Amino acid sequence: MDGPGRTDPQGVRAEGRGGRDSGTLVSSSMASPKKKLQGLVAATITPMTEHGEINFSVIGQYVDYLVKEQGVKNIFVNGTTGEGLSLSISERRRVAEEWVTKGRNKLDQVVIHVGALSLKESQELAQHAAEIGADGIAVIAPFFLKPWNKDVLINFLKEVAAAAPALPFYYYHIPALTGVKIRAEEVLDGIQEKIPTFQGLKFSDTDLLDFGQCVDQNRQRQFAFLFGVDEQLLSALVMGATGAVGSPRPSEAESRNRFCIQRFINFVVKLGFGVSQTKAIMTLVSGIPMGPPRLPLQKASREFTDNAEAKLRSLDFLSFNDLKDGNLEACS
């Protein structure tokens, strides 16, 4: 998986991280990542102003926070946590560009989610990701006019992957939101024969039997098995997950153990936890104003923010001098 791809007489020009044409020819028929995507992959938030516009000005600060404070150098951009499907195509392109540019020489891998209801839009985003120097692309199943079986879904994914033939391709399995109930185990069966650039799965579902079969049936392939449900991460790691795409949380360096983090997750889940609340918590723990979500999501309530802050302090994840009133107002 980490070796060079086949030589393509046509070739495509490689795009350097955050730059344009580097002049290097790479294969257009085989993805060749520098290393396997594994460990913790941050599902990035899209910072917004109080008026619902993207706040590009803090993304550089966000990169530094992830790298220096969290020790995270792999990111997943424009996914669920990043409200990717609530952004316009032009906004998604700009967000991707900003993360690639600001992450140059700091981040190891930037994977861009390019899924869309329109095949053409998804292909456009995939091609753009290749042009700006992203390290991989991921795609969810289209969820309005849905694929009704594995073959139809793979045909859609194949066409998107072909628009960025030099990039590793990941399938993003999140049936609770897409309504596409095709088991991930079925999708992975023979997928690399149809999509040579396929390199892994982001599994955001609670069906651990399905996840376990994905791992068990593909042990000979060096796929990345990235788990996306925080509450079940420990179980998934036991079953063979090679990494996790997770929401922001108190850093591992500050935590006494994983169960302490689970305690906090359990607490906020009971309060009602989603993208809006994630933005509020990230503002608390990072000091970076992430702002409100975009409609139809609603801003996290002040009650949630206050309760989350109190719990973070009780677990020694925050000191009393960490927070600025302005940052609290950004998510209140």
Side-chain angles (χ1 to χ4, degrees):
M1 153 174 189
D2 292 333
R6 298 191 301 270
T7 301
D8 182 351
Q10 301 299 319
V12 293
R13 291 200 176 273
E15 305 292 343
R17 166 58 61 74
R20 290 294 171 180
D21 185 0
S22 68
T24 304
L25 291 177
V26 297
S27 168
S28 65
S29 59
M30 205 61 179
S32 181
K34 47 198 169 184
K35 62 181 179 179
K36 184 176 179 178
L37 183 62
Q38 59 186 358
L40 184 58
V41 181
T44 60
I45 288 167
T46 300
M48 292 184 184
T49 69
E50 287 298 319
H51 301 291
E53 299 301 320
I54 297 172
N55 186 0
F56 293 99
S57 67
V58 301
I59 290 181
Q61 182 183 355
Y62 194 172
V63 170
D64 290 339
Y65 171 77
L66 289 173
V67 173
K68 296 176 182 178
E69 302 297 327
Q70 297 273 326
V72 175
K73 293 190 175 183
N74 299 318
I75 63 172
F76 188 88
V77 177
N78 286 339
T80 305
T81 302
E83 301 173 78
L85 289 162
S86 294
L87 308 181
S88 68
I89 296 301
S90 62
E91 286 177 324
R92 291 174 71 172
R93 289 167 61 106
R94 285 195 62 198
V95 169
E97 289 169 8
E98 193 71 11
W99 277 103
V100 169
T101 300
K102 291 298 192 293
R104 187 188 297 126
N105 300 322
K106 295 180 179 180
L107 297 171
D108 289 339
Q109 296 202 47
V110 178
V111 177
I112 310 295
H113 172 243
V114 301
L117 297 184
S118 162
L119 173 62
K120 294 299 183 183
E121 289 183 346
S122 199
Q123 290 173 318
E124 175 190 330
L125 290 168
Q127 185 174 8
H128 176 259
E131 290 171 353
I132 64 175
D135 301 290
I137 56 173
V139 176
I140 60 169
F143 55 85
F144 187 72
L145 299 177
K146 298 179 178 66
W148 60 89
N149 62 33
K150 163 193 167 178
D151 292 335
V152 175
L153 173 56
I154 289 181
N155 285 340
F156 180 90
L157 301 177
K158 178 180 178 181
E159 292 299 315
V160 179
L167 286 187
F169 180 86
Y170 302 90
Y171 172 53
Y172 180 7
H173 180 69
I174 184 164
L177 292 185
T178 63
V180 176
K181 304 297 185 182
I182 303 166
R183 289 169 61 82
E185 174 202 354
E186 291 183 51
V187 179
L188 264 58
D189 183 21
I191 192 171
Q192 205 166 45
E193 284 69 44
K194 296 187 177 180
I195 306 176
T197 54
F198 180 81
Q199 307 245 336
L201 168 74
K202 181 190 175 188
F203 189 96
S204 294
D205 189 30
T206 57
D207 186 348
L208 289 175
L209 176 60
D210 188 16
F211 181 73
Q213 286 302 295
C214 288
V215 176
D216 186 51
Q217 299 301 320
N218 295 278
R219 291 187 183 278
Q220 302 307 312
R221 298 179 173 86
Q222 295 300 306
F223 291 159
F225 294 106
L226 306 172
F227 198 74
V229 181
D230 291 345
E231 302 92 309
Q232 293 184 327
L233 178 56
L234 290 180
S235 298
L237 289 171
V238 171
M239 299 180 76
T242 59
V245 182
S247 303
R249 67 191 77 190
S251 70
E252 294 286 354
E254 295 171 348
S255 65
R256 289 184 292 276
N257 52 54
R258 291 182 183 272
F259 289 103
C260 199
I261 291 177
Q262 277 198 327
R263 195 179 309 161
F264 177 71
I265 293 172
N266 183 54
F267 177 79
V268 293
V269 165
K270 289 178 179 178
L271 294 179
F273 189 65
V275 172
S276 307
Q277 291 73 26
T278 296
K279 298 187 95 166
I281 290 170
M282 187 61 172
T283 298
L284 289 170
V285 300
S286 71
I288 302 170
M290 294 298 170
R294 181 168 286 181
L295 291 170
L297 297 180
Q298 298 292 313
K299 183 186 297 187
S301 69
R302 184 73 197 207
E303 180 183 9
F304 173 89
T305 304
D306 289 345
N307 286 333
E309 180 188 349
K311 189 65 173 180
L312 286 166
R313 293 193 190 285
S314 74
L315 296 171
D316 294 328
F317 288 143
L318 291 177
S319 69
F320 284 95
N321 296 320
D322 281 342
L323 304 176
K324 307 286 187 185
D325 288 341
N327 287 338
L328 279 173
E329 287 303 316
C331 63
S332 62

